[in-house]
Amino acid sequence: MKSYEGGITVDKYSAIILAGGKGSRMKSENSKVLFELLSKPLIDWVIAALKESGAGEFCTVVGHRRELVCEHLKGQCEFAVQEEQLGTGHAVMMARDFLKKHQDESVAILSGDVPLITPETLKGAFEAHKESGADATVITARLSDPFGYGRIARNPDGGVEKIVEQRDATEEQKKIDEINTGTYFFKTAALLSALDNLKTDNAQNEYYLTDAIAYINKTGGRVGTYEVSDITEMTGINDRAQLYDVSVVAKERLFTALMKSGVTIMDKSSTFISPDAEIAPDTVILPCTIIKGRTKIGRACTVGPNSVLDNVTLGDKVTFNASQAADSVIGSNVKVGPFSHIRPGCDIADDCKVGAYVELKKAKFGRGTKAPHLSYIGDAELGSGVNFACGCITVNYDGKNKHKTIIKDKAFIGCNVNLVAPVTVEDGAYVAAGSTITDTVPRRALAIARSRQSVKPGWRDKSGLEK
Ligand code: UD1
Ligand code: CA
């Protein structure tokens, strides 16, 4: 007899992500689920798949290094704390309050360390779960080498009887090639009542979530399965070698899709691109380039070699050569590099140049403005058509506060100028090379702020240095 009431399948499902484990095989101070796969933390891959599959609210079970995981996921989900890691069943028990709130729905249980799970699989499994009306649906796979996984033990009539862990399996059961991927859908009420009945009578003295399946079967509930054919999708990451292997698979998929969409990637092995990046056709990515976060690259750009873009937007036809940029927006037809550093908060309009050895921070460039060589421009607003010549810098820091430099349209700043902020150079003004500017330069004026040259004729002959 079923020992619970309710559990009517409705169209929505909530989810629990298990992320409390120690991840001891990572040998790290960090939480395993925060390790990055193509620059995106493992747990973010799982969350993205969940959201895309149409899941509702979700709860993350945190334990080891939970302060880091909670900080990372702040505002995105509920948390349940598992102080001691007493097994996957115990982890789900910690989320009882969340489950009770979603009593009349189904709940998906996922692992935070299985990043390549797809929204299609989640949708497919949920559909199967709903259609069959099962109390639990286990996502399964068939493996030629099932070692290490829980095995699906079936009744003579073909229904699922229970899941047997590797360490508890008989020789006969070890031969079963149908495995538990560790992802499930449960009618929430069925899961809640099974949780109340989990025991630790197994090889690891843990509360196994898998025993909930045996309990549901034993008490007259129905257990279904949903088989995935692509097992790489369900690979869990337990150590850094597996993380590498999974990254090779993920990269191959992503790069194939990008290339088919019209992007040239010259060297796959030395290129890393975030799954959240967008790159338009006819753009060429040269070797040793890392594209992180939500970077957006327009059409016909050339990016690399040896470049890093992190959350940057590039327009069309940008050349970004051997440089780095973060959290900034760069327009179309801009040339960057080689060897430049665009730090967060920059906004560069179309047709600009940020040439060789130029560092920018919170700098705004109007259209066609150029800083071709060897400059530092921080906390500055440059209008359009400004020439910021070789070796010029904004002196933005007085040792205590940062100050702003404003340079208006078509101003011309000669070589090796210091602009001591706060300071303004008005429209069309000229600043002579080598000047240190501390006051406003009026519109279309010329400012010279350096000592005059003096010449001592025949000085070398009189100096006696060559005797
Ligand atoms: C689990 C399944 C096994 C399945 C395999 C698929 C159980 C008992 N076994 O085994 O049938 O084939 O996954 O990969 O469930 N976690 C916690 N708290 C804990 C223990 C684990 O939050 O106390 C989390 C881990 O962080 C991880 C997930 O649960 O995200 C799975 O735990 P893990 O120890 O890796 O389970 P497996 O031994 O792989
Ligand atoms: Ca695992």
Side-chain angles (χ1 to χ4, degrees):
M1 279 295 291
K2 283 190 193 179
S3 55
Y4 55 88
E5 297 301 324
I8 288 111
T9 316
V10 294
D11 272 353
K12 209 170 91 188
Y13 67 92
S14 43
I16 292 176
I17 302 178
L18 304 184
K22 284 202 191 68
S24 37
R25 283 165 282 182
M26 281 294 185
K27 310 238 176 350
S28 172
E29 302 275 285
N30 198 359
S31 158
K32 176 166 77 177
V33 297
L34 297 182
F35 269 72
E36 290 183 353
L37 171 63
L38 303 188
S39 86
K40 176 170 171 158
L42 295 178
I43 196 159
D44 289 3
W45 288 75
V46 178
I47 291 171
L50 254 188
K51 286 187 175 162
E52 225 183 300
S53 75
E57 287 174 42
F58 64 99
C59 173
T60 304
V61 181
V62 292
H64 180 69
R65 297 311 316 262
R66 63 173 183 264
E67 66 290 358
L68 299 177
V69 183
C70 290
E71 175 62 28
H72 178 72
L73 297 181
K74 206 168 50 190
Q76 289 196 61
C77 61
E78 286 184 33
F79 296 102
V81 176
Q82 187 191 27
E83 294 283 354
E84 258 187 297
Q85 279 66 61
L86 303 178
T88 49
H90 183 255
V92 177
M93 287 175 195
M94 301 302 108
R96 263 203 189 98
D97 289 345
F98 176 83
L99 289 170
K100 282 180 184 157
K101 272 196 291 180
H102 299 274
Q103 188 104 295
D104 296 325
E105 298 170 20
S106 282
V107 61
I109 311 281
L110 298 95
S111 290
D113 62 353
V114 181
L116 297 189
I117 186 157
T118 61
E120 291 70 35
T121 292
L122 287 169
K123 273 189 218 160
F126 183 51
E127 281 306 313
H129 177 67
K130 266 195 311 187
E131 265 164 39
S132 68
D135 298 286
T137 301
V138 185
I139 303 186
T140 61
R142 288 188 189 273
L143 298 188
S144 51
D145 177 15
F147 183 86
Y149 287 93
R151 310 295 209 286
I152 308 294
R154 292 190 178 265
N155 295 315
D157 67 1
V160 176
E161 185 204 347
K162 59 182 174 180
I163 297 173
V164 187
E165 292 305 299
Q166 174 78 32
R167 287 164 73 173
D168 303 292
T170 61
E171 286 313 311
E172 235 6 75
Q173 288 166 332
K174 282 179 190 160
K175 289 183 195 144
I176 300 172
D177 68 347
E178 189 184 14
I179 62 105
N180 167 28
T181 63
T183 308
Y184 323 78
F185 281 89
F186 285 96
K187 279 183 186 165
T188 308
L191 177 59
L192 272 167
S193 102
L195 289 178
D196 291 338
N197 289 283
L198 293 187
K199 300 194 177 64
T200 56
D201 52 350
N202 53 56
Q204 302 182 71
N205 291 316
E206 284 185 355
Y207 293 99
Y208 288 170
L209 177 59
T210 44
D211 286 348
I213 298 296
Y215 180 80
I216 288 171
N217 174 60
K218 205 170 63 192
T219 51
R222 241 178 345 119
V223 179
T225 54
Y226 180 81
E227 188 176 322
V228 289
S229 49
D230 179 5
I231 184 61
T232 52
E233 193 189 311
M234 304 309 295
T235 306
I237 289 174
N238 296 315
D239 60 31
R240 291 172 202 248
Q242 280 171 325
L243 178 60
Y244 182 83
D245 291 345
V246 167
S247 82
V248 171
V249 174
K251 204 161 109 162
E252 191 59 38
R253 282 186 193 171
L254 189 72
F255 286 11
T256 302
L258 277 172
M259 289 190 274
K260 290 204 165 144
S261 77
V263 176
T264 298
I265 297 172
M266 196 168 271
D267 176 28
K268 291 201 278 187
S269 71
S270 72
T271 303
F272 298 87
I273 300 176
S274 153
D276 298 326
E278 288 171 38
I279 308 178
D282 279 334
T283 282
V284 178
I285 310 295
L286 299 176
C288 298
T289 294
I290 302 179
I291 295 169
K292 303 170 83 169
R294 301 196 173 272
T295 292
K296 273 193 190 159
I297 301 178
R299 295 185 77 96
C301 295
T302 304
V303 178
N306 306 319
S307 294
V308 181
L309 291 171
D310 187 358
N311 277 318
V312 174
T313 299
L314 298 187
D316 299 330
K317 296 186 180 160
V318 173
T319 306
F320 193 94
N321 176 13
S323 292
Q324 304 212 356
D327 303 307
S328 291
V329 177
I330 295 170
S332 293
N333 293 309
V334 173
K335 289 192 166 46
V336 178
F339 315 117
S340 283
H341 187 190
I342 299 178
R343 291 163 53 196
C346 292
D347 186 350
I348 310 299
D350 294 349
D351 307 319
C352 288
K353 182 165 187 178
V354 179
Y357 305 100
V358 176
E359 177 171 335
L360 306 184
K361 187 215 63 173
K362 285 191 192 151
K364 201 170 171 177
F365 279 25
R367 186 165 189 162
T369 283
K370 294 184 165 67
H373 351 254
L374 298 157
S375 284
Y376 170 66
I377 307 173
D379 304 303
E381 247 174 65
L382 280 60
S384 60
V386 169
N387 186 56
F388 203 87
C390 181
C392 290
I393 63 163
T394 56
V395 183
N396 61 332
Y397 185 50
D398 60 13
K400 194 169 174 210
N401 296 306
K402 301 278 167 77
H403 301 282
K404 202 158 175 183
T405 300
I406 294 174
I407 302 173
K408 301 219 175 135
D409 296 352
K410 295 207 169 102
F412 185 102
I413 316 295
C415 288
N416 203 32
V417 165
N418 299 310
L419 295 155
V420 183
V423 71
T424 301
V425 178
E426 299 284 3
D427 282 65
Y430 263 69
V431 175
S435 294
T436 292
I437 298 296
T438 53
D439 298 314
T440 301
V441 181
R443 200 170 167 269
R444 299 184 74 78
L446 168 68
I448 310 173
R450 62 181 188 229
S451 55
R452 274 185 180 282
Q453 179 172 335
S454 66
V455 174
K456 311 211 183 293
W459 176 86
R460 188 157 183 167
D461 299 327
K462 293 175 217 159
S463 70
L465 285 174
E466 284 169 326
K467 273 189 191 138

